[in-house]
Every structure is written in C-alpha cells, then in structure tokens.
Amino acid sequence: QVQLQQWGAGLLKPSETLSLTCAVYGGSFSDYSWTWIRQPPGKGLEWIGEINQGLGTDYNPSLKSRVTISTHTSKSQVSLSLSSVTAADTAVYYCARRDRRSGSYNKIDHWGQGTLVTVSS
Amino acid sequence: DIQMTQSPSSLSASVGDRVTITCRASQNILSYLNWYRLSPGKAPKLLIYATSTLEGGVPSRFSGSGSGTDFSLTINGLQPEDFATYFCHQSYSSPLTFGGGTKVEIK
C-alpha cells in the first residue's frame, strides 16, 4: 500500500521561502514522477510541478521562477521549495505520485493528506 | 495551457440519486482525462482515469465517458461519502490542469 506523508512549516511571512517534504512509503520510488499540487482557499487545484528520475523536472510556467522540486532517493522523499511567498501562495499543498508508465495515461494515483500553508504578516 | 471547464460548479442531491458532472477541454486531449474526489480532511482520491477506467477499489457506481474535448462523470446511486468536491484533470500535456471543481451537496 502506497502512502505519502508530508510535512513543513504552516505559517510564513511574506518574502519567506516555503519548504515542504513528502515521504513515500510502499511502491517503487524511482519508477514514478513526484508531483506537487496546491489548492488556494475556495479555489481549484493548481499543478506546481514535478520531478522524475529519468525526465528531470517540469514546472508550471506561472511559478517556474520561484519553484524548486528535488528528491532524496535513498530516503524516498521529495521536497518542494517556493521562494518569495506572498498571500497569494496561501493554499493547501499536496504531494502526489504520477504514473507515466505505458497504459497508465499519466494518472496521478496517490496523494498526500495535504498541508495548509498560510502566508501572513 | 489546456483549459478545463467543469460544470456545474455545485449541485444538490439526495442519497440514491444519479448525478452527472461534465468537463470540457479547450483542445483535444484524446482520452487523457481523470476524475478525483476531494473530501475535507482526506487525501484526494482517484476515481477514474483514461476517461472511463475505474481505478482499483473504486465502486462501480462511478462511471466516466467521453473523448476528445467533452467528458462526463456519472455517479449512480449517491452514497453519504460521495458528498464531496469532484475535479476533472487532463494529463495529456504540461502544464497539467484541472477543472474548477463541482461540489456535491446534500439536498
């Protein structure tokens, strides 16, 4: 059974850097892409970016200048860093697994429980 | 970017009802359309991928259809745990995008 457990600071001040980590339990870590998605209060889901061992990283152009996604493969962990945060970055942040193997249609099939990050002075 | 337009944004229904949610893509995404359920305090759950394939363990009351740009999710016989928010998602091209969500509320 695959489980994604995430953690990180929940309250930030404007201009600080958001840092979240997601640990993956179960399943192969290197066979999948690892994705970060967020949901601002009352709004829809926004894809932040992802990392894949063979394909590298891919970021949403709207956030690319501020985002870094990295992995610690030996620990089966993936991390998100978002710099220079503002109130607009207040959201629930999710880590998730994306299956890009043939026949899986690139589905996102497992999600973490989400971490609420609030940016406020 | 591929825009995903989902409707309705909310609906009211009763346990046992049949409900249908639609999703339209701004360009052809073949069958790369997935549906998720978001419940408060829980991890989002994949219900259907590739337009109509039920993810393992998902009840058969959920079904999906469509192709190209127009898709739908149908729930036959709403259960209490189905009162939640549903999102469609295109996994055809980057950046990945989602519909605006449909909140299914108890009538």
Side-chain angles (χ1 to χ4, degrees):
Chain A
Q1 185 178 353
V2 177
Q3 289 190 342
L4 281 66
Q5 199 165 48
Q6 54 183 105
W7 66 89
L11 181 60
L12 297 173
K13 290 181 166 47
S15 79
E16 292 184 335
T17 295
L18 179 157
S19 292
L20 297 174
T21 301
C22 174
V24 180
Y25 301 97
S28 167
F29 185 78
S30 58
D31 287 346
Y32 297 90
S33 293
W34 302 97
T35 298
W36 289 93
I37 294 159
R38 70 181 184 180
Q39 184 179 25
K43 296 187 178 181
L45 296 167
E46 179 181 31
W47 178 74
I48 297 169
E50 68 180 29
I51 189 166
N52 177 284
Q53 187 168 307
L55 301 174
T57 54
D58 186 17
Y59 300 132
N60 192 320
S62 67
L63 296 167
K64 188 173 184 176
S65 63
R66 299 192 290 131
V67 173
T68 302
I69 296 175
S70 58
T71 56
H72 196 317
T73 304
S74 64
K75 293 185 178 181
S76 296
Q77 292 180 357
V78 55
S79 296
L80 168 69
S81 175
L82 180 67
S83 64
S84 305
V85 298
T86 69
D89 294 311
T90 293
V92 175
Y93 286 75
Y94 295 98
C95 65
R97 187 181 87 168
R98 191 152 87 106
D99 188 348
R100 301 187 67 173
R101 296 174 300 173
S102 176
S104 294
Y105 282 77
N106 303 329
K107 62 182 178 178
I108 298 173
D109 60 357
H110 289 88
W111 298 64
Q113 78 279 12
T115 300
L116 175 61
V117 177
T118 302
V119 181
S120 175
S121 55
Chain B
D1 299 6
I2 298 175
Q3 307 303 316
M4 305 300 293
T5 303
Q6 192 174 333
S7 63
S9 57
S10 67
L11 64 89
S12 296
S14 301
V15 172
D17 282 355
R18 178 186 187 196
V19 300
T20 296
I21 300 166
T22 63
C23 186
R24 173 166 288 177
S26 61
Q27 64 186 71
N28 187 350
I29 57 170
L30 304 181
S31 293
Y32 287 78
L33 191 283
N34 314 303
W35 291 97
Y36 301 87
R37 180 176 69 189
L38 273 71
S39 301
K42 293 187 176 182
K45 181 178 176 62
L46 172 65
L47 301 173
I48 288 172
Y49 70 96
T51 299
S52 60
T53 303
L54 222 56
E55 177 71 349
V58 173
S60 60
R61 64 179 181 271
F62 293 94
S63 63
S65 64
S67 68
T69 60
D70 292 301
F71 304 87
S72 65
L73 169 72
T74 297
I75 311 172
N76 273 301
L78 272 173
Q79 296 301 300
E81 61 269 29
D82 298 333
F83 293 96
T85 301
Y86 294 82
F87 286 92
C88 62
H89 159 240
Q90 67 81 15
S91 54
Y92 178 72
S93 69
S94 177
L96 306 182
T97 49
F98 296 84
T102 296
K103 187 171 185 179
V104 178
E105 299 175 301
I106 299 175
K107 185 183 289 184

